[in-house]
Amino acid sequence: MNANEKTYILSGSSASKLGVLDLIIGCLYKHECYAYEIHTFDDDDVERFFFRVEFRYIGAGELAEESLRSQFGDRAAAFDAEWDLRDSSTPDKLVILVSKYDHCLQDILHRHSIGALNIEIPAIISNHPDLKRLAEWYHIPYYHLPITADTKPQQEAEMWDIIQKVDADLVVLARYMQVLSDDMCKKLHGRAINIHHSLLPGFKGAKPYHQAYDKGVKLVGATAHYVSKDLDEGPIITQGVEPVDHTYTPERLVAKGRDTERLALAKAIKLHVERRCFVNGKKTVVFPGH
């Protein structure tokens, strides 16, 4: 495949019905599209068929994209399909929410700057002013929206206004130390990712790594998941685990945990923007990436 050749991703889910593969491959064939990567999964529990097809146009001239969308949409209706067709080169617009911890934000901004993530970042929103200089270094608008218990509804309204104005595809909570309201979680369903530690066993409340040190844990981890109204219990996208031992002080545990968090979050973002993960009730379907 030519490195400059335009590629597309067709992804989504449908009812588990006979003929769904013919729908996908047949429409691509009629439009002279060659599917070079195909992933499917049939979930018997919910009777949904999940699919992701990466393809390129091999005909003359340009792909008749609107014709493909129209034909696929007309036929897909009979399969109760929810689907998305996108040009692989089109970046997702990503809004980052952050508080004071900068390790996940730093990692995302660096990966973006070197082209490791197919994203644009039109806005960074924080309840603190601390990381504004970092945003300015990367020439990204930074919105400081302070929050108190009394101003939370107003702050979230301002946040939602920014998300809509920049037409965000994805919102990432890069160690945003505020709990989103149920209403905001509903608005962001399936397009907001959070990261948090997943120490084994679990430790809740303040200073989890210090609690872990006191108990002598041997594993630290991180979980990246879609946001839901159930705090830190949304559908999991990916997790990371690293071994530790008795020599790890609380400070070393924190450092190891932060490394695990940033790697897990970056992987989750990449899976999402490549349309490799799908919310499936309280779970996710995640197709392998490169």
Side-chain angles (χ1 to χ4, degrees):
M1 184 173 66
N2 189 318
N4 297 319
E5 201 165 26
K6 204 169 186 179
T7 63
Y8 299 83
I9 299 169
L10 175 64
S11 60
S13 69
S14 72
S16 299
K17 292 174 62 175
L18 190 66
V20 65
L21 277 175
D22 176 65
L23 160 68
I24 297 167
I25 302 303
C27 283
L28 293 180
Y29 173 76
K30 289 178 181 177
H31 285 80
E32 299 182 273
C33 296
Y34 177 75
Y36 58 87
E37 182 180 323
I38 302 175
H39 293 284
T40 63
F41 172 68
D42 191 73
D43 190 336
D44 289 336
D45 292 339
V46 295
E47 297 184 337
R48 295 292 290 180
F49 180 80
F50 295 85
F51 57 88
R52 181 189 185 276
V53 182
E54 202 161 328
F55 66 91
R56 64 179 181 269
Y57 176 65
I58 60 174
E62 296 288 328
L63 171 66
E65 187 175 327
E66 289 307 311
S67 173
L68 174 57
R69 286 180 180 275
S70 177
Q71 185 181 114
F72 187 84
D74 289 344
R75 292 190 59 195
F79 292 86
D80 186 29
E82 299 173 358
W83 58 278
D84 175 64
L85 174 64
R86 70 186 297 265
D87 179 343
S88 298
S89 65
T90 303
D92 272 14
K93 294 179 181 177
L94 189 154
V95 168
I96 302 174
L97 309 186
V98 67
S99 291
K100 291 186 176 183
Y101 295 119
D102 67 351
H103 55 289
C104 287
L105 176 62
Q106 290 264 22
D107 189 73
I108 296 169
L109 294 178
H110 173 67
R111 292 174 191 270
H112 169 243
S113 70
I114 63 173
L117 291 172
N118 188 25
I119 59 174
E120 293 178 0
I121 306 175
I124 296 172
I125 301 173
S126 180
N127 56 319
H128 295 283
D130 302 55
L131 302 178
K132 183 177 181 179
R133 290 183 64 185
L134 178 60
E136 290 174 343
W137 176 266
Y138 285 92
H139 307 291
I140 297 172
Y142 187 90
Y143 298 88
H144 174 216
L145 305 181
I147 184 171
T148 66
D150 293 333
T151 63
K152 185 180 179 71
Q154 178 186 343
Q155 191 258 12
E156 283 200 347
E158 292 180 56
M159 181 189 298
W160 180 242
D161 186 55
I162 294 167
I163 291 169
Q164 289 183 297
K165 280 184 177 178
V166 302
D167 194 23
D169 298 294
L170 179 65
V171 174
V172 173
L173 283 65
R175 292 308 305 271
Y176 181 63
M177 309 304 288
Q178 293 289 324
V179 178
L180 297 181
S181 68
D182 288 356
D183 180 60
M184 182 64 82
C185 290
K186 184 177 180 180
K187 289 176 179 176
L188 295 175
H189 177 73
R191 60 189 188 105
I193 296 175
N194 188 26
I195 185 72
H196 63 82
H197 73 81
S198 52
L199 290 163
L200 304 175
F203 298 96
K204 297 182 179 181
K207 295 188 175 181
Y209 288 102
H210 290 72
Q211 296 179 52
Y213 171 76
D214 291 338
K215 292 291 186 179
V217 299
K218 299 298 182 282
L219 291 172
V220 298
T223 295
H225 62 89
Y226 285 110
V227 169
S228 75
K229 65 179 182 178
D230 300 314
L231 181 62
D232 292 344
E233 295 183 13
I236 293 171
I237 303 170
T238 188
Q239 294 177 292
V241 177
E242 290 289 337
V244 295
D245 59 33
H246 62 279
T247 67
Y248 276 73
T249 62
E251 292 73 24
R252 289 186 66 194
L253 286 176
V254 168
K256 177 68 76 172
R258 287 177 177 173
D259 281 346
T260 311
E261 288 169 10
R262 64 181 179 80
L263 291 172
L265 182 57
K267 183 177 180 180
I269 294 171
K270 191 171 191 295
L271 288 167
H272 179 93
V273 301
E274 292 181 354
R275 304 301 188 266
R276 294 183 183 274
C277 48
F278 308 84
V279 176
N280 181 21
K282 293 185 177 181
K283 304 180 295 182
T284 53
V285 172
V286 182
F287 291 132
H290 300 296

